[in-house]
Amino acid sequence: MTTTSPDARPVPPLGKPRTAKLPTVGERTLDNGLRVLAVRRPGVALTELRLRVPFAAPSRRGAARNGEQHVARAQLLGDTLLSGTAVRNAGQIAADVQALGGQLSASTDADRLGMGGSVLSSGLPGLLELLAEVLTSASYPKAEVVGERDRLVQELAIYRTQPSVAAREALVQRLYGEHPYGRELPGAEAVQEVTPAHLRKLHAERVAPAGSVLVVVGDQTPARMLSLVEAALSGWTATAAAVETPPVPAVQPQPALLVDRPGSVQTTLRFGGPAPRRTDPGYAAFSLANLVFGGYFSSRWVANIREDKGYTYSPHSGVEHPPAGSRVVVAADVATEVTAPSVLETWYELGRIATVPVEQGELDQARRYAVGSLALSTSSQAGLASTLAVLTAAGLGVEHLRDHPKNLAAVTVEDVLEAAATWLAPHRLTGVLVGDADAVEASVGAVLDVERG
Amino acid sequence: MPPPRKKSPASAGPATAYAVERTTLDNGLRVVVSPDPSSPVVAVAVYYDVGIRSEPEGRTGFAHLFEHLMFQGSANLGKTEHFTLVQGAGGTLNGSTHLDYTNYYEMLPSNATELALFLEADRMRSVALSQENLDNQVAVVQNEIRVNVLNRPYGGFPWITLPPVLYSTFPNAHNGYGGFEDLEDATLEDAQQFFDRYYAPGNAVLTVAGDVDPAEVLRMAQEQFGDIPARRVPERPSFAEPAPSGEQREVVTDRIAPTPAVAMAWRVPDPADLEAYLPYVVLAEVLTDGDAARLNERLVLRDRMVTSVGGYLGVMGDPLDARDPTPLLLEVHHPSEVAVDDVLRVVDEEVDRLAQGGLADGELRRTVARMTSRYLREIDPVLGRALTMSVFEQQRDRAELVNEVPALLAQVTDEQVQAAAATLGLDRAVLELRPEAQQ
């Protein structure tokens, strides 16, 4: 940074950091078992809602077919949950939510039914009333289910032409096989077989308050928001045992999978593998190792394959925390003609972080980024609501916002090396490449054990 | 302490009362500060009044390429230092290139406020250009275009492919991401000229929102930016051109998309005149915001003839930050079995029904209620607020509009929306997208 230019100026030092006050969380478990967390965050006159209902696939024998059925039914349940109740049809629900200044959506994955919403705070009672109505009397009208079913088939066809989706499907299949995490999207055939009766049955069996958590963040007091929730949702009395997803299987070493996409101008690279959970003692060290490797812009991998070589636009190594097993996903879309060199550099950076200690300065920089990101993520109503919902799902309390920076502060260069050697060593990762196979297979084969799929 | 909330006038919806302080430095840089101590974070944004419409012929994509170069080094900083200093302070950063402006912004813990101002000042003072960095960023941008346009279904539809149907002059019609050859032709001289011409302090707005003391920020801004020499500020040209006369219709084929789509666009009044323009912003939502909206209800839910329908103002979906000329767009995805002319016919029927019969009771109120809450949700984070204030200050000299949008939306009347619908006639652009496999 030293320079002889007449404009030479010093980089100003950081001021004294001001730590955010830990949010005060009002908490109540209703008689029906629903756990409610409420936080007042002043700002705009809005209230954010995040509801999580356990929704794992029931474990039965014959898992493959049942698993595919469940994915199709769960997906359509989310798509049609707001399509009718005992007293309102789809159009009325949509118009009523809009009139409250609200939005409400539902979606499912392998572990949960999630509902997210926000509303002008004056409309919170109305939105909660509607939420209760949907949870207790969603009717899955035939016309809506059939219509959404056809629409979903069309949308899946579009979705699957995106290389990132094709790569994602191949990667989770490769990592998890028959485990529920091995299939995130339903096949068109399984979707076509879904009937309103299937959805009503699934709803009756699984949409229940026990084990469910609702996070509410808004500009009103926690006491008032808790009262409103209790008044609206106490009548949700369905009973069902919360089903948890079984632990993920151990990953077996296997060659990287090359999925042919003729004429593709890029190769979509994905490498994935298991990662520690948020609650593991080694998580802080791992998260910093991942940042230094490729988890943020100022990382080695980005500096190498983007800022030095221009092979790609947005390389990123991300960590995901589904409850049955966390994972790391290393992702880049690279120009077809530099596919093999990109794999080589990726392997080099993974190998380097797994075998050579990082510089203290790199570690300190990643640490400050991790601490700062946590502060930024909780500085808006929506951000705070989502962060709390994620922490709660991981079994962590709001104290994590205070404790995680301390855990990060304690991480040493040696801890990072150990975490990287355990989780980021290249031979531990499972690879998928989606691209023009004829154009890249031979050269990629020179640096990576690869098979066509 | 939260900013105090004003008691809102009847039906104006919940208003915010974010404070606005401003000054103009001697070199012409306009500075806006909006304190909010509710979280220890700050957002810093710099808006330059130049965008895609100002790039020269033969240099499509240059405004965006230049945005990348602004991260490659500056008066006191080498390549990658801008990123490491922001992220090493716990912050995030980005930039984006629009039709009428280019912005650069950071969101950081508030103890990094002065650092962020230093970083923005350093590259406003001078950008460090090298052939190596230019070549590198041309390759990066080409990969950005591959991932966002060339290698995905519906890439660039309709934001890149519709403007040449709707417009006939280069500034409005050309591809803002750029042709690969144009990007490769770009030179260091082009970059230096672009910087000298458009990145003058007097052509920029700096906004700081969050956990700061305004007096302190104004002092820091003076310290960091004050000695950047003033340069001539380019006069903003008019990009006006006549609206289409009659239907302009074209077809693009898509190598990857499995099913067809169609986009329609109509020119709308100059956004400078908010009273004339806002009814169109509301109209787009009446037509397409959610399952209770006119076109969704008819095309998706009732007739089941399309997969999705969307409507918005501005080719980049930026209703309150585009200048004239700008369109209202509709974008419809439909199964191959449904003829595009049937889709257009039903859209026209619904628009006509609105133009003839007006809105239903409560339809406007509920539409505006959700627009209001969505807007508030955008400006709740300090970053969203800083971006919104910047563009209002730059284009309208009124960062205070950040607090006034809900009231302005509430003033739009049934009659105005109905009259706006009546203008969506056959003087329009229509772009069909057909899957190549079905040609």
Side-chain angles (χ1 to χ4, degrees):
Chain A
M1 216 155 312
T2 52
T3 167
T4 54
S5 124
D7 293 328
R9 288 172 159 253
V11 177
L14 297 179
K16 192 173 173 310
R18 187 163 84 78
T19 310
K21 227 175 92 212
L22 205 58
T24 304
V25 180
E27 178 162 355
R28 188 175 298 174
T29 301
L30 308 189
D31 290 343
N32 58 13
L34 175 67
R35 195 173 154 216
V36 187
L37 308 181
V39 178
R40 173 165 187 261
R41 192 185 140 84
V44 293
L46 295 178
T47 304
E48 297 281 335
L49 301 174
R50 304 284 184 278
L51 174 66
R52 183 182 197 282
V53 179
F55 210 72
S59 51
R60 291 187 194 125
R61 302 249 171 236
R65 174 150 174 79
N66 285 336
E68 184 165 358
Q69 268 181 1
H70 179 78
V71 174
R73 291 175 190 177
Q75 169 84 41
L76 265 173
L77 182 139
D79 290 350
T80 56
L81 184 59
L82 298 167
S83 291
T85 66
V87 294
R88 289 186 246 211
N89 66 26
Q92 286 165 331
I93 291 172
D96 290 350
V97 172
Q98 196 179 24
L100 296 167
Q103 52 171 336
L104 187 62
S105 63
S107 67
T108 56
D109 63 24
D111 302 295
R112 59 111 186 92
L113 162 67
M115 296 190 74
S118 65
V119 66
L120 291 173
S121 293
S122 56
L124 179 59
L127 195 72
L128 288 168
E129 184 190 331
L130 182 87
L131 179 65
E133 192 179 305
V134 165
L135 291 167
T136 56
S137 78
S139 57
Y140 304 98
K142 181 149 196 275
E144 314 301 336
V145 171
V146 171
E148 284 304 307
R149 200 169 68 187
D150 294 343
R151 195 154 78 100
L152 177 57
V153 169
Q154 293 275 334
E155 284 187 335
L156 286 170
I158 292 173
Y159 204 49
R160 288 193 162 106
T161 59
Q162 296 176 23
S164 58
V165 173
R168 174 83 184 183
E169 287 203 281
L171 180 65
V172 296
Q173 222 294 310
R174 201 92 170 152
L175 281 173
Y176 303 114
E178 300 282 290
H179 183 274
Y181 288 175
R183 173 182 280 280
E184 295 181 334
L185 292 175
E189 247 175 60
V191 170
Q192 290 292 11
E193 289 170 2
V194 178
T195 66
H198 290 141
L199 300 182
R200 290 181 202 123
K201 180 162 179 285
L202 185 61
H203 186 114
E205 285 174 359
R206 307 304 306 283
V207 182
S212 298
V213 180
L214 175 64
V215 173
V216 188
V217 175
D219 63 339
Q220 307 179 70
T221 63
R224 171 159 168 78
M225 295 190 286
L226 288 172
S227 299
L228 290 172
V229 170
E230 179 147 34
L233 290 174
S234 286
W236 182 24
T237 54
T239 51
V243 181
E244 299 294 331
T245 308
V248 295
V251 176
Q252 303 303 324
Q254 51 192 332
L257 182 71
L258 175 59
V259 179
D260 191 21
R261 191 165 179 272
S264 191
V265 297
Q266 282 183 322
T267 304
T268 304
L269 298 180
R270 299 291 184 268
F271 297 98
R277 294 168 190 259
R278 286 180 196 276
T279 46
D280 286 354
Y283 177 65
F286 167 76
S287 67
L288 293 172
N290 183 59
L291 282 176
V292 172
F293 160 67
Y296 70 147
F297 198 94
S298 305
S299 66
R300 294 170 169 190
W301 192 42
V302 176
N304 182 337
I305 67 170
R306 173 178 153 136
E307 291 297 292
D308 184 44
K309 303 196 177 64
Y311 291 164
T312 180
Y313 171 60
S314 51
H316 181 70
S317 178
V319 189
E320 302 167 10
H321 295 287
S326 301
R327 60 182 161 246
V328 58
V329 177
V330 174
D333 296 61
V334 304
T336 297
E337 59 275 17
V338 293
T339 301
S342 299
V343 171
L344 177 68
E345 297 300 336
T346 304
W347 242 228
Y348 165 71
E349 295 296 354
L350 286 166
R352 182 158 73 110
I353 198 149
T355 55
V356 183
V358 299
E359 301 289 330
Q360 186 67 43
E362 288 180 292
L363 171 58
D364 292 341
Q365 178 182 292
R367 186 166 15 229
R368 288 193 301 270
Y369 177 73
V371 172
S373 300
L374 205 58
L376 301 189
S377 76
T378 56
S379 67
S380 66
Q381 291 174 339
L384 182 58
S386 295
T387 301
L388 285 178
V390 163
L391 293 182
T392 310
L396 292 163
V398 71
E399 316 75 51
H400 181 79
L401 299 176
R402 181 193 60 212
D403 297 341
H404 190 53
K406 291 182 188 160
N407 297 339
L408 290 165
V411 171
T412 65
V413 165
E414 293 72 30
D415 297 335
V416 169
L417 181 62
E418 186 188 331
T422 308
W423 306 102
L424 292 175
H427 75 88
R428 290 185 54 98
L429 300 180
T430 298
V432 167
L433 299 83
V434 176
D436 190 326
D438 288 342
V440 305
E441 184 173 21
S443 57
V444 169
V447 290
L448 191 65
D449 192 10
V450 64
E451 65 185 18
R452 277 212 202 197
Chain B
M1 282 287 293
R5 187 167 306 131
K6 273 192 303 205
K7 198 73 189 155
S8 48
S11 85
T16 53
Y18 295 116
V20 173
E21 305 212 13
R22 64 161 63 73
T23 193
T24 301
L25 305 188
D26 289 346
N27 57 21
L29 176 67
R30 290 187 276 166
V31 183
V32 173
V33 188
S34 182
D36 169 8
S38 66
S39 282
V41 299
V42 66
V44 172
V46 177
Y47 274 55
Y48 293 94
D49 201 344
V50 60
I52 288 167
R53 289 202 245 231
S54 294
E55 56 202 17
E57 294 201 42
R59 290 291 181 273
T60 60
F62 193 79
H64 171 240
L65 174 63
F66 187 78
E67 175 221 307
H68 278 243
L69 296 179
M70 284 288 278
F71 289 93
Q72 293 291 306
S74 49
N76 291 282
L77 298 173
K79 179 173 166 121
T80 75
E81 281 190 292
H82 190 97
F83 290 102
T84 56
L85 285 167
V86 172
Q87 294 194 313
T92 60
L93 70 165
N94 214 334
S96 63
T97 308
H98 298 248
L99 297 186
D100 296 307
Y101 65 89
T102 308
N103 66 12
Y104 301 85
Y105 51 86
E106 297 80 38
M107 182 176 171
L108 323 91
S110 51
N111 66 320
T113 305
E114 187 152 22
L115 172 67
L117 295 179
F118 164 82
L119 292 169
E120 290 302 346
D122 207 56
R123 57 183 169 186
M124 186 180 290
R125 194 180 307 277
S126 72
V127 58
L129 299 165
S130 78
Q131 190 63 45
E132 187 185 356
N133 289 346
L134 173 60
D135 293 345
N136 167 250
Q137 290 303 309
V138 168
V140 168
V141 167
Q142 288 176 339
N143 271 311
E144 179 178 352
I145 294 169
R146 289 188 184 103
V147 75
N148 286 336
V149 180
L150 304 176
N151 206 39
R152 66 187 304 163
Y154 313 101
F157 177 83
W159 84 271
I160 293 173
T161 44
L162 186 69
V165 188
L166 178 66
Y167 296 117
S168 49
T169 63
F170 174 83
N172 296 317
H174 78 271
N175 173 358
Y177 243 156
F180 275 27
E181 301 76 17
D182 281 5
L183 291 169
E184 285 160 10
D185 286 348
T187 66
L188 292 178
E189 292 69 41
D190 293 334
Q192 191 61 53
Q193 276 173 20
F194 198 78
F195 179 83
D196 291 344
R197 173 142 194 215
Y198 293 114
Y199 279 64
N203 206 34
V205 168
L206 163 70
T207 300
V208 179
D211 175 31
V212 293
D213 168 21
E216 186 69 355
V217 171
L218 295 178
R219 182 196 63 74
M220 290 178 194
Q222 178 61 43
E223 164 83 17
Q224 297 296 341
F225 291 87
D227 62 352
I228 299 173
R231 299 204 302 276
R232 202 179 70 82
V233 176
E235 195 170 333
R236 225 188 75 80
S238 163
F239 296 113
E241 61 169 279
S245 169
E247 185 172 278
Q248 313 297 310
R249 186 157 170 172
E250 287 181 25
V251 177
V252 286
T253 56
D254 190 308
R255 201 171 57 80
I256 304 171
T259 52
V262 60
M264 312 164 74
W266 296 263
R267 287 274 300 276
V268 299
D270 185 340
D273 180 356
L274 276 178
E275 197 183 339
Y277 175 73
L278 283 179
Y280 287 83
V281 181
V282 176
L283 171 62
E285 307 299 317
V286 167
L287 292 173
T288 65
D289 180 26
D291 284 352
R294 295 275 175 131
L295 294 179
N296 302 58
E297 197 277 327
R298 172 78 189 272
L299 290 157
V300 182
L301 293 183
R302 181 142 48 107
D303 293 359
R304 295 282 172 193
M305 68 190 297
V306 313
T307 318
S308 69
V309 51
Y312 47 95
L313 272 288
V315 294
M316 299 179 87
D318 41 6
L320 293 177
D321 58 5
R323 285 181 159 128
D324 188 64
T326 191
L328 181 152
L329 292 95
L330 297 175
E331 180 181 343
V332 185
H333 291 250
H334 60 98
S336 302
E337 304 84 72
V338 174
V340 63
D341 285 334
D342 288 339
V343 174
L344 298 181
R345 181 178 49 75
V346 177
V347 168
D348 286 339
E349 261 177 48
E350 284 301 318
V351 170
D352 198 46
R353 194 167 65 87
L354 185 57
Q356 300 296 323
L359 287 95
D361 276 353
E363 191 174 7
L364 178 62
R365 204 188 59 78
R366 68 175 158 82
T367 303
V368 168
R370 180 149 60 209
M371 292 175 76
T372 302
S373 72
R374 198 187 306 133
Y375 174 77
L376 293 175
R377 205 165 184 250
E378 261 174 45
I379 62 166
D380 178 43
V382 288
L383 180 57
R385 199 180 315 145
L387 300 183
T388 303
M389 293 173 93
S390 297
V391 77
F392 285 154
E393 184 72 8
Q394 181 156 74
Q395 299 188 353
R396 301 169 192 276
D397 294 316
R398 267 188 68 68
E400 291 84 349
L401 270 172
V402 73
N403 295 319
E404 298 164 9
V405 168
L408 289 169
L409 290 173
Q411 284 165 15
V412 173
T413 66
D414 282 345
E415 292 71 27
Q416 286 177 308
V417 176
Q418 184 177 357
T423 68
L424 304 191
L426 288 176
D427 293 334
R428 65 185 178 191
V430 173
L431 180 66
E432 280 181 57
L433 179 145
R434 294 180 190 160
E436 190 178 88
Q438 289 161 31
Q439 292 304 294

